[in-house]
Amino acid sequence: MKSISLKTKIISGVITGGMILSSVSAFAATTKQTNTDTSKASQQVQRDTKKQENFDANLKKLVADKTITQAQADKIKAAKVAREAAHKAEREKTKSMTDAQRKTYMESNKDKHVNILKSLVDNGTITQAQSDKIGPGEGKHNGGKGPMEGLKIK
């Protein structure tokens, strides 16, 4: 009778220990993933803040150099905010699509993706000469970094 009781206790202990170790491992994995996600989000906020500071500083320089007026700078900033909101909405819309659907959607909407400086010239906010002085940023589509991130002054 004592040996059955001892065997039962050992088996119960092993099962309980396994369950505890399993729970701790799952918790540790979840915590590590959460920390990684939090770290990435924090880094993204820092990058976004830095980009916005650079953008604002470049706009101020353009106004100080009398390349554009303050009213034009305000309109450029508003256009950038609107473009970023549109991009965010588009990302959300395409998030649930398959790769093939996303590619088809992007191809069919390619003509809607106009350089923001070109649209500002077309609607009369700035002149072509001002646009030429501002420049398109770095590389194709402003370096692929988002609307007017570069705002590189030539």
Side-chain angles (χ1 to χ4, degrees):
M1 190 74 131
K2 286 185 181 180
S3 67
I4 293 175
S5 178
L6 182 60
K7 285 181 185 178
T8 304
K9 287 180 182 179
I10 290 173
I11 291 173
S12 295
V14 169
I15 291 172
T16 304
M19 290 172 56
I20 290 172
L21 286 175
S22 163
S23 299
V24 169
S25 296
F27 175 75
T30 303
T31 303
K32 183 177 180 184
Q33 182 63 37
T34 303
N35 288 343
T36 301
D37 292 345
T38 303
S39 176
K40 285 181 181 179
S42 174
Q43 290 172 354
Q44 184 63 42
V45 167
Q46 289 174 354
R47 282 190 301 268
D48 290 346
T49 301
K50 181 72 172 160
K51 285 193 304 190
Q52 187 61 45
E53 288 171 356
N54 289 341
F55 181 81
D56 291 342
N58 285 336
L59 272 182
K60 285 179 184 176
K61 183 173 181 353
L62 289 168
V63 171
D65 293 346
K66 297 190 189 297
T67 302
I68 60 174
T69 65
Q70 184 59 52
Q72 288 172 318
D74 294 341
K75 288 179 182 177
I76 290 170
K77 198 170 190 176
K80 178 181 181 272
V81 169
R83 177 67 58 94
E84 287 172 344
H87 279 257
K88 184 176 182 180
E90 191 167 86
R91 274 193 307 274
E92 288 299 317
K93 182 176 183 177
T94 60
K95 201 182 268 188
S96 61
M97 294 180 181
T98 65
D99 286 342
Q101 290 171 326
R102 190 176 301 112
K103 185 176 181 180
T104 302
Y105 174 80
M106 295 304 262
E107 283 294 323
S108 67
N109 289 299
K110 190 185 280 187
D111 59 328
K112 293 181 183 175
H113 297 282
V114 178
N115 179 297
I116 196 165
L117 288 175
K118 181 179 178 344
S119 66
L120 289 168
V121 170
D122 290 348
N123 71 19
T125 301
I126 61 175
T127 66
Q128 184 61 52
Q130 289 170 319
S131 175
D132 293 342
K133 285 183 182 178
I134 295 170
E138 298 176 8
K140 180 177 147 187
H141 302 294
N142 295 328
K145 298 177 185 174
M148 306 224 5
E149 182 207 349
L151 196 67
K152 183 178 174 186
I153 302 167
K154 290 184 178 178

